[in-house]
Amino acid sequence: MHKQILTTPDGETYPILTGSGLLHTCGQEIAAVKKPCRVMIVSDSNVAPLYLDRVKASLSAAGFAVNTHVVSAGEESKSIGVLGALLESFAEAKLTRTDIAVALGGGVIGDLTGFAAGCYLRGINFVQLPTTLLSAVDASVGGKTAVNLRHGKNLAGLFHQPIGVYCDTDSLQTLHPHELADGAAEAIKTGILGDPELFAIYETGDPAAQYEEIIARSVAYKAKIVTEDPTEKGVRKLLNLGHTAAHAIERLSDFGISHGHAVAIGTAIVARASVKRGIMKNDDSARIINTLIRSGLPVVCPYGAAEMAKIAALDKKAAAANITVILPETIGKCRMESMPIAALEALFADGLEGQA
Ligand code: NAD
Ligand code: MG
């Protein structure tokens, strides 16, 4: 079992526990940070049949009064409609300011539940029980919550920190390989940003046997960055390594290419562009690309530089005339470079050159 204590921007602290069996013991763990109260467990239609019973049993045994709300699995549940129904369900269960919501699932459930908890009664506490690698290494840390609007992803949201995150590594065993690869893309990204040992697990190690370490290292890095820059004015932008291209790829594919897979392609693009511009050695770029491939991720972009640049210019994160692009220098160090949006096409073109 691995335990980390995170500090929120308000100076509150909360635990992140990672290890085997936590869905069976979450009740007593949560009781250590919150005295027994009413809880609403929120889950999705894939996760609930697998894990809801054990979480309910554990919370009940620890003295919590348990309610449940299950939504359809999938990104479509990050909607205003589903959020509204969830808030009504909180009210129906008579949750008060001192009660809590528990998110049992992947990033969709974490984002939806966090948002609902953040606005119900102007904010109640919530706990995360991430069951995907992506939510464990990325989505459950940092306090961002959101739902999608018809006009785009994550357009409505708020910052709301959990009071505890408990990640049962056993739950990753039922995850589809495609979803494991999505999480791997973000973990490899973190390795490139600042943790060569994390990168090495994916380059030469056995990730399936090392999830506790992968998650702990990813959380530690993201937590450090997020603590320094909670609202993404500075260093938090580093976390967007590979993401400018990725967001364009996701949109051009009409979200047929998942986020993690798009991040892998975007990371390969900036790695090649860094080599072309003399920022990184070719050997390091080759190691990045081979490690992504070893993790079952794509590195070849099906779209052209011009169409990607056009989409990127529309991205909400590129509202100003300049955009911050993250370029790898070595495995474990990246730089932030501000450039005019008009320069993106040339950067993407450099990154597409020489792909298989
Ligand atoms: P997800 O929650 O949709 O989970 C992926 C799929 O796996 C779903 O079908 C789900 O039902 C299933 N699943 C979950 N756990 C399982 C398990 N243990 N066994 C079997 N199946 C399981 O998606 P995700 O990839 O976890 O997260 C993506 C979402 O996270 C996106 O909406 C993204 O915007 C968001 N996100 C948020 C942040 C943040 O900082 N808040 C960061 C990254 C991503
Ligand atoms: Mg991401």
Side-chain angles (χ1 to χ4, degrees), residues 23 44-47 50-51 72-75 78 104-111 128 130-136 138-146 148 153-154 168 170-176 179 182-183 186 222 236 243 250 259:
L23 291 182
D44 77 25
S45 52
N46 289 336
V47 177
L50 294 168
Y51 302 113
S72 305
E75 184 72 25
K78 264 178 62 170
L104 170 66
V108 164
I109 291 300
D111 278 12
Q128 302 250 36
T131 62
T132 65
L133 183 59
L134 185 93
S135 58
D138 188 354
S140 64
V141 189
K144 283 187 180 177
T145 76
N148 306 323
K153 256 182 72 81
N154 297 328
D168 187 341
D170 298 345
S171 70
L172 303 179
Q173 281 167 15
T174 52
L175 210 54
H176 191 276
E179 261 98 42
D182 273 335
E186 296 285 5
K222 185 168 178 185
R236 189 165 182 167
H243 278 56
E250 286 180 84
H259 180 69

Side-chain angles (χ1 to χ4, degrees), residues 221-265:
Y221 182 82
K222 185 168 178 185
K224 182 176 77 123
I225 294 286
V226 164
T227 305
E228 243 175 271
D229 177 19
T231 53
E232 204 169 321
K233 303 220 160 45
V235 287
R236 189 165 182 167
K237 291 194 172 116
L238 282 170
L239 301 175
N240 290 329
L241 175 68
H243 278 56
T244 305
H247 290 144
I249 291 165
E250 286 180 84
R251 286 220 220 149
L252 286 167
S253 73
D254 206 8
F255 295 92
I257 300 180
S258 64
H259 180 69
H261 284 60
V263 167
I265 299 171

Side-chain angles (χ1 to χ4, degrees), residues 25 64 75 87 128 134 136 140 193 198 230 279 319 333 339 350:
T25 56
F64 292 92
E75 184 72 25
L87 289 168
Q128 302 250 36
L134 185 93
S140 64
L193 286 174
L198 173 56
I279 295 167
K333 187 163 187 289
M339 58 180 69
D350 283 353

Side-chain angles (χ1 to χ4, degrees), residues 145-181:
T145 76
V147 298
N148 306 323
L149 300 181
R150 274 199 299 277
H151 282 81
K153 256 182 72 81
N154 297 328
L155 290 187
L158 41 79
F159 282 96
H160 190 49
Q161 304 287 343
I163 57 167
V165 179
Y166 309 91
C167 176
D168 187 341
T169 47
D170 298 345
S171 70
L172 303 179
Q173 281 167 15
T174 52
L175 210 54
H176 191 276
H178 189 277
E179 261 98 42
L180 278 173

